[in-house]
Amino acid sequence: QVQLVESGGGLVQPGGSLRLSCAASGRTFRNYVMGWFRQAPGKEREFVATISQSGGITLYADSVKGRFTISRDNAKNTVYLQMNSLKAEDTAVYYCAAKTGYISRVSNDYDHWGQGTQVTVSS
């Protein structure tokens, strides 16, 4: 089992930056693929980014490619999402998630979820 706690959300102006963190409990963090997803009001949860166990493979949604960067520190049991050039349409609750096995963009493949952190992009 792994428990996930996100932090770093908040209110930011368009064009600004935020870095989200997701701290995981347990000693087996390095065995998990980690993903970031988001859900805006009235919309379905959508894939943002994912990273393999070693950090060597990353995938991004087209909507965030070139603006967001996912990374992980296995020594600190933490995964990060650096978000730059933020837009109003990035406003959502952001969730981190964990799964074993292969990297995936599909939310249903992930077994463990955090509680989410709100990101609001507004002037």
Side-chain angles (χ1 to χ4, degrees), residues 37-47 63 87-93 95 107:
F37 294 81
R38 67 187 182 186
Q39 188 167 18
K43 295 187 177 181
E44 293 186 353
R45 188 172 297 184
E46 66 173 358
F47 166 74
S63 59
K87 306 175 182 179
E89 50 263 44
D90 294 318
T91 296
V93 177
Y95 299 89
S107 61

Side-chain angles (χ1 to χ4, degrees), residues 5-13 15-23 36 48 60 67-74 76-86 90 94-96 116-121:
V5 179
E6 302 96 335
S7 62
L11 173 64
V12 63
Q13 292 186 343
S17 298
L18 279 176
R19 187 177 82 156
L20 305 183
S21 299
C22 174
W36 285 98
V48 175
Y60 296 91
R67 300 188 298 122
F68 290 11
T69 302
I70 189 171
S71 62
R72 67 189 295 161
D73 186 336
N74 285 345
K76 295 183 178 179
N77 283 11
T78 302
V79 62
Y80 304 97
L81 186 69
Q82 177 67 44
M83 305 186 295
N84 299 329
S85 302
L86 282 161
D90 294 318
Y94 283 70
Y95 299 89
C96 76
T117 185
Q118 176 70 47
V119 172
T120 302
V121 184

Side-chain angles (χ1 to χ4, degrees), residues 27-38:
R27 300 181 179 181
T28 59
F29 176 76
R30 66 183 67 248
N31 293 339
Y32 288 89
V33 169
M34 300 300 297
W36 285 98
F37 294 81
R38 67 187 182 186

